[in-house]
Amino acid sequence: MLLHRFVENGVLAGAAAVVALSLSSAGFAQTIYSCVDGSGRKITSDRPIAECSDRVQKQLNPSGTVKGVLEPSLTSDERAAREEKEKRAAELREREVEEKRRDRALLQRYPNRALHDKERAEALGQIDEVITAAAKRASELSEQRKAIVVDMQFYKADPTRAPPSLRRRVEENESNQATQKRFIAEQDVEKKRVNQRFDEELAKLRQLWPMAGTVPAKAAAAAAAAPVPPAAAKK
């Protein structure tokens, strides 16, 4: 009886060991590696393939379906180059997302050419008002200069003998006139900048309006060909 139990226990232990070994082998063989080496040979193995360490290796299930990939081993320079490439790709994606966001905002603000032209005219009109006021001030300074010249006639032979107050009037007038000229020139530059901005927006909107369907294609083409409003045409 004791001998029979000993034999039975031994058989059970051996069977358990065989099952454990089978399970271990099955687990080890769960992933199959496959690749094509530099010579064009297709290699398959139950472990990572040394001949393909420089290229991607497919990780297959026993059924042959792909469950993942094993990336190639990279040198530090290769890793740096890859990271830089991924960084540039990410920046490009961000720029594309940002451009699309700006396009949506532009369309929402200007659903048609009339609104865009109206805002251009208003922006340029405000600058024209500032230039008009500056020109008026410059004209006043010119008149003041004439009066100063008359007063300076008494000291034409020796301007240094003119009273300090009169010399200050001359200096202040010259400085103020120079300031007004610079200011008017700056406003002219600002008008060109505003027109350039609206021109760039209009070029973009000509593409966006038909795609968005907010303006029929024929109407968009007609609006695009329309002349710039008089206020916008001034440079």
Side-chain angles (χ1 to χ4, degrees):
M1 182 66 176
L2 183 61
L3 178 61
H4 175 73
R5 183 174 296 175
F6 178 81
V7 172
E8 183 179 359
N9 290 340
V11 171
L12 291 174
V18 170
V19 171
L21 181 60
S22 298
L23 291 174
S24 176
S25 300
F28 186 78
Q30 280 181 350
T31 300
I32 301 170
Y33 294 85
S34 176
C35 70
V36 177
D37 68 7
S39 301
R41 293 185 305 131
K42 183 175 181 180
I43 305 174
T44 302
S45 176
D46 59 356
R47 64 196 65 198
I49 303 166
E51 293 90 332
C52 293
S53 60
D54 62 340
R55 62 198 64 223
V56 173
Q57 301 180 41
K58 292 181 181 179
Q59 295 174 311
L60 309 175
N61 292 309
S63 62
T65 58
V66 178
K67 72 174 185 178
V69 294
L70 178 65
E71 297 292 342
S73 301
L74 303 176
T75 66
S76 59
D77 290 342
E78 289 172 337
R79 279 196 300 272
R82 180 175 178 178
E83 290 172 359
E84 180 63 24
K85 182 179 179 180
E86 292 174 348
K87 179 182 177 182
R88 288 197 299 269
E91 291 173 348
L92 178 60
R93 289 193 297 270
E94 290 177 1
R95 286 196 298 269
E96 290 175 346
V97 170
E98 177 61 19
E99 183 176 357
K100 290 179 180 178
R101 185 196 66 77
R102 288 197 301 266
D103 289 348
R104 288 194 298 270
L106 192 62
L107 268 176
Q108 185 175 4
R109 184 172 183 177
Y110 305 114
N112 55 61
R113 173 74 182 266
L115 284 176
H116 192 257
D117 286 347
K118 180 175 181 290
E119 189 160 318
R120 183 203 290 258
E122 290 174 351
L124 294 175
Q126 291 174 2
I127 298 174
D128 284 336
E129 289 178 1
V130 173
I131 291 177
T132 299
K136 181 179 179 181
R137 175 58 179 159
S139 178
E140 293 172 352
L141 290 170
S142 295
E143 292 299 318
Q144 291 176 10
R145 179 67 179 178
K146 292 178 182 179
I148 293 172
V149 169
V150 171
D151 292 341
M152 285 293 294
Q153 288 294 327
F154 297 102
Y155 309 99
K156 187 176 181 179
D158 186 4
T160 60
R161 295 182 58 190
S165 60
L166 182 55
R167 291 201 299 269
R168 282 197 299 272
R169 285 172 59 197
V170 172
E171 293 173 357
E172 289 175 357
N173 184 271
E174 291 176 348
S175 176
N176 289 336
Q177 286 202 61
T179 298
Q180 291 302 313
K181 288 180 180 178
R182 286 196 302 271
F183 183 72
I184 292 173
E186 290 170 357
Q187 295 307 305
D188 287 335
V189 171
E190 178 66 7
K191 284 187 69 173
K192 292 178 181 178
R193 187 193 67 78
V194 169
N195 265 317
Q196 181 179 0
R197 175 174 71 84
F198 277 94
D199 287 343
E200 292 173 354
E201 288 179 349
L202 182 57
K204 188 67 176 179
L205 286 165
R206 284 170 175 170
Q207 301 172 4
L208 297 176
W209 281 327
M211 291 188 296
T214 56
V215 179
K218 291 183 179 180
V228 176
K234 296 178 182 179
K235 296 288 184 179

